[in-house]
């Protein structure tokens, strides 16, 4: 990257007073050094990557090491090439130490750390302790900071900067230009682009404290609209991965769960801009669908999202909602997850009849007690289908012990084991006694066989059982996903288990064949000290076989099946108890960041976060709650109109206080005015994104106007923000819900608070 020929600063005429060399000369010199260093780093990484790619692939561990190096070098190079000088977000100067007379030190903070060839740090990574004072300093607690400067970049050049002074040092005063308005509040006035803006340089002290909080246990971040909950969640993901040695995480082992696919698209650019490419993202529906795979297919194997004919929108994913609210409520009850356990146990009862297994040496008998012993041998936590191999091995051991004395030596015992392992009658008997079960078939049976559902969920009434029945076992709805996921977790992958068992049987047969060859070679060799007798050693015989690696069992393992070291859940107030189990079974450590607003819950949220998280199974001693109360996004004019809407149904709602005013009042009109409203706004605003929020979410007239106008339902708009929001017929919100009045108010509150500049409500 060549050093810029012109100044790094491109300040407009209105900011000419900030162009004083006394204010920016030191920055100019520092950015020249940063530019040179970036160019050297890019050249070095490019050369190393090319050399590694041209080098031999090697074999075994060498191949894995080479591929790992290539991925790491390519990721580092991508990160460096993503940024220019805008890799730097600002700097701070420490206060002069009076006791020692030590002068101030200037620390430049970047999205990544950067050190020149001499070892001099040019940028400290924003996630390191050295950068913490940049974000945490306040007038009440300066953290040893004399002043802080935040940059605003455009086109690779600085178009504005903001200085905040925390010390009255006269020497420093000549090098700063204090602003009346903070960088954060000023940045909020910019037009939206359809993607979440880069806000790293303007992270506030209260947000930074949450980002850097300990990852042990669960942290609940409660905040109303516009308080920066999503900003905190995303930056916390990047921070925790950077601090992986302290938090026990590794690359690819942190999951961000969002409310719907538009949300994940909206935030897609944030984490790469923070130097992180390894955070996995998903909706809660994605977790279940990814883990279930073919179990979700209909009778013809058509993917559900296609068969349903709906796009991802909300926690439901690609499935239609449950048509009956009471059926949805029953399926969301955590006791229904417990019913899955009972449903599987139904297939884990040992046979009550003996059977004979004929062999070359003798007819062997398996009694009911033998079957019970084999079933009891399954290790705790082993999925049902994957326990099949353990049971089969135990049955073989029991039969071999029973045949003691029939085989006269080790060779015959090995032959007996191989014969029993491949015996088709024993395999069929085990498949009847402990069948391989598909998750979709198991849950489908609950909805189509009333007696089976009654057996597994005895707390259900006869009427509730009737309500849950349906004629098509594969007519899945969004409410089925957590139960399907629970079944998949309890059962394991039937196909994988079959492959593993087949691989073990083939391996046993191959090992026996090779041992026979070895015996023949030894018999033909009359040298007692030669190589051939060495082949008698079992360890060497095993080594001659292709190793049975973890890949044999992990092949096809779902990427989102977990476990994860840490999971961040945004809009967590919408999760049902059953959906929470989908999250928790992927995070056995209980290390969670839970982000949400109880007032925005369409499902009702009478508990505190502490109570909710305790109830779903997290230990109370490891739960902490923090609150955000300043609304940085929504102007006060809009919040003054929105607050009464939510407080009418939820008096204790955490309605945040707006940090700014737009001067634009909320306006009202008629639905027939929608085309004129959009046309006028688009003409007056060449930049920015508008959203029409209506109950049906149908694109209607909005799509015809511009690709800068979106149409969403309130649920689909959750977590997003737009310059203009047009709320269409808010009285139609919540129709069909059990408590339509509360749902209507919540939906309207959510819709109103998506606006960053202007809100218009249209009624019939």
């Amino acid at each position: 990257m060549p050093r810029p020929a012109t100044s790094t600063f491109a300040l407009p005429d209105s900011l000419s007073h900030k162009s004083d060399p006394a204010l920016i000369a030191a920055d100019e010199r520092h950015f020249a050094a940063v530019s040179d260093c970036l160019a050297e780093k890019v050249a070095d990484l490019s050369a190393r990557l090319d050399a590694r790619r041209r080098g031999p692939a090697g074999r075994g561990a060498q191949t894995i090491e080479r591929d790992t190096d290539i991925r790491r070098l390519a990721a580092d190079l991508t990160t460096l090439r993503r940024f220019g000088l805008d890799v730097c977000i600002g700097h701070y100067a420490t206060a002069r130490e009076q006791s020692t007379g030590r002068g101030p030190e200037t620390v430049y903070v970047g999205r990544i750390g950067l050190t020149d060839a001499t070892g001099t740090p040019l940028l400290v990574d924003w996630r390191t302790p050295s950068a913490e004072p940049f974000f945490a300093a306040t007038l009440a607690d300066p953290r040893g900071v004399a002043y802080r400067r935040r940059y605003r970049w455009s086109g690779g050049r600085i178009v504005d900067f903001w200085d905040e002074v925390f010390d009255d040092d006269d020497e420093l005063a000549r090098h700063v230009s204090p602003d009346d308005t903070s960088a954060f509040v000023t940045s909020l006035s910019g037009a939206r682009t359809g993607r979440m803006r880069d806000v790293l340089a303007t992270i506030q002290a209260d947000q930074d404290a949450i980002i850097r909080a300990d990852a042990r246990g669960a942290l609940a971040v409660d905040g109303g609209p516009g308080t920066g909950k999503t900003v905190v969640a995303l930056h916390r993901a990047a921070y925790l991965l950077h601090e992986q040695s302290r938090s026990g995480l590794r690359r690819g082992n942190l999951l961000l769960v969002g409310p719907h696919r538009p949300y994940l698209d909206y935030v897609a650019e944030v984490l790469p801009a923070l130097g992180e490419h390894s955070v996995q993202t998903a909706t809660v529906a994605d977790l279940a669908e990814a883990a279930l795979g073919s179990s979700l297919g209909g009778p013809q194997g058509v993917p559900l999202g296609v068969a349903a004919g709906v796009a991802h929108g909300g926690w439901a994913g690609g499935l239609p909602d449950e048509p009956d609210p009471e059926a949805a409520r029953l399926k969301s009850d955590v006791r229904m997850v417990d019913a899955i356990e009972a449903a599987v146990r139904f297939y884990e009862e040992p046979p009550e009849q003996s059977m004979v297994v004929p062999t070359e040496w003798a007819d062997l008998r398996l009694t009911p007690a033998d079957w019970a012993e084999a079933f009891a041998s399954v290790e705790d936590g082993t999925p049902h289908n994957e326990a099949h191999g353990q049971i089969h091995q135990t049955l073989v051991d029991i039969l071999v012990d029973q045949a003691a004395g029939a085989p006269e030596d080790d060779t015959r015992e090995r032959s007996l084991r191989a014969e029993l392992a491949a015996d088709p009658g024993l395999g069929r008997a085990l498949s009847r006694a402990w069948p391989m079960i598909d998750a979709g078939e198991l849950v489908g049976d609950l909805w189509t066989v009333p007696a089976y559902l009654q057996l597994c969920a005895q707390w259900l009434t006869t009427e509730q059982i009737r309500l849950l029945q349906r004629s098509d076992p594969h007519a899945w709805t969004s409410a089925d996903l957590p139960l399907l996921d629970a079944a998949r977790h309890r059962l394991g992958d039937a196909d994988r288990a079959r492959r593993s068992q087949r691989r073990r049987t083939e391996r046993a047969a191959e090992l026996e064949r090779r041992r026979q060859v070895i015996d023949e070679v030894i018999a033909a060799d009359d040298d007692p000290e030669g190589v051939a007798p060495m082949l008698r050693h079992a360890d060497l015989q095993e080594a001659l076989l292709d190793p049975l690696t973890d890949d044999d069992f992990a092949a096809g393992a779902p990427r989102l099946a977990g476990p994860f070291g840490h999971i961040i859940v945004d809009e967590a107030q919408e999760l049902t108890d059953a959906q929470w189990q989908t999250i928790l079974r992927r995070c056995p450590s209980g290390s969670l960041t839970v982000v949400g607003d109880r007032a925005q819950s369409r499902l009702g949220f009478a508990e505190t976060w502490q109570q909710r998280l305790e109830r779903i199974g997290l230990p109370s001693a490891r739960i902490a709650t923090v609150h955000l109360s300043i609304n940085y996004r929504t102007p006060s004019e809009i919040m003054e109109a929105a607050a009464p809407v939510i407080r009418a149904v939820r008096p204790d709602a955490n309605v945040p206080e707006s940090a700014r005013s737009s001067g634009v009042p909320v306006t009202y009109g008629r639905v027939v005015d929608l085309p004129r409203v959009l046309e006028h706004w688009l003409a007056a605003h060449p930049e920015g994104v508008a959203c029409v929020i209506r109950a049906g979410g149908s694109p209607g007239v909005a799509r015809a106007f511009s690709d800068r106008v979106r149409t969403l339902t309130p649920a689909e708009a959750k977590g997003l923000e737009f310059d203009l929001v047009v709320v269409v017929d808010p009285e139609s919100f919540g129709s069909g819900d059990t408590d339509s009045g509360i749902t209507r108010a919540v939906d309207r509150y959510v819709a109103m608070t998506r606006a960053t500049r202007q809100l218009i409500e249209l009624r019939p």
Side-chain angles (χ1 to χ4, degrees), residues 419-430:
E419 182 182 359
L420 290 171
D423 184 82
L426 180 60
R428 287 192 297 269
L430 176 57

Side-chain angles (χ1 to χ4, degrees), residues 260-480:
H260 45 66
R261 186 54 53 183
Y263 164 93
L264 296 179
D265 293 340
Y266 177 63
V267 304
E269 296 299 319
V270 176
L271 287 166
L274 297 175
E276 272 304 337
H277 301 268
S278 63
V279 176
Q280 299 192 56
T281 63
T283 66
V284 74
D286 292 336
L287 298 181
E289 291 185 6
L292 287 159
S294 60
S295 295
L296 278 177
Q300 289 78 42
V302 179
L304 289 180
V306 176
V310 294
H312 283 269
W315 293 109
L319 299 179
D321 289 335
E322 187 74 39
D324 189 299
E326 177 61 11
R329 186 191 68 80
L330 291 171
K331 290 182 180 181
S332 70
D333 193 310
V334 72
R335 288 178 293 178
M336 196 62 77
V337 177
D338 296 336
I340 298 298
E341 173 65 25
V344 177
R345 286 290 185 191
F346 180 78
Y347 292 99
E348 296 182 347
E349 292 294 328
E352 297 180 355
Q353 300 294 326
S354 297
M355 69 170 289
V356 174
V357 182
T359 71
E360 179 182 348
W361 289 276
D363 289 343
L364 306 176
R365 179 176 295 275
L366 281 176
T367 67
D370 295 329
W371 282 104
E373 179 184 344
F375 279 27
S377 71
V378 176
E379 297 176 8
D380 290 343
T382 304
H384 171 92
N385 291 327
E386 295 171 28
H388 196 275
Q390 292 182 22
I391 296 172
H392 188 269
Q393 182 60 52
T394 302
L395 291 172
V396 170
D397 291 341
I398 290 171
L399 291 170
V400 170
D401 290 343
Q402 189 183 125
E408 297 176 357
D409 54 35
D410 290 345
T411 300
R412 290 189 177 181
E413 179 180 331
R414 292 196 303 268
S415 297
L416 175 59
R417 285 187 176 278
E419 182 182 359
L420 290 171
D423 184 82
L426 180 60
R428 287 192 297 269
L430 176 57
S431 293
R432 289 192 299 269
W434 190 286
M436 294 290 190
I437 309 172
D438 177 80
E441 295 299 324
L442 183 88
V443 178
D445 285 348
L446 290 175
W447 308 149
T448 54
V449 183
Y452 187 39
L453 180 57
Q454 177 66 75
L455 175 69
C456 300
Q458 297 182 13
W459 53 276
L460 291 173
T461 67
T462 301
E463 177 59 26
Q464 289 170 334
I465 290 174
R466 185 199 63 76
L467 179 65
L468 290 170
Q469 294 301 297
R470 62 191 184 208
S471 58
D472 182 359
H474 296 108
W476 306 118
T477 69
S478 58
D480 291 317

Side-chain angles (χ1 to χ4, degrees), residues 22-23 147 163 165 167-178:
L23 298 177
Y147 85 92
D163 288 342
V165 180
D167 191 281
D168 58 1
D169 191 313
D170 292 337
E171 176 66 23
L172 285 174
R174 296 198 297 269
H175 303 288
V176 298
S177 176

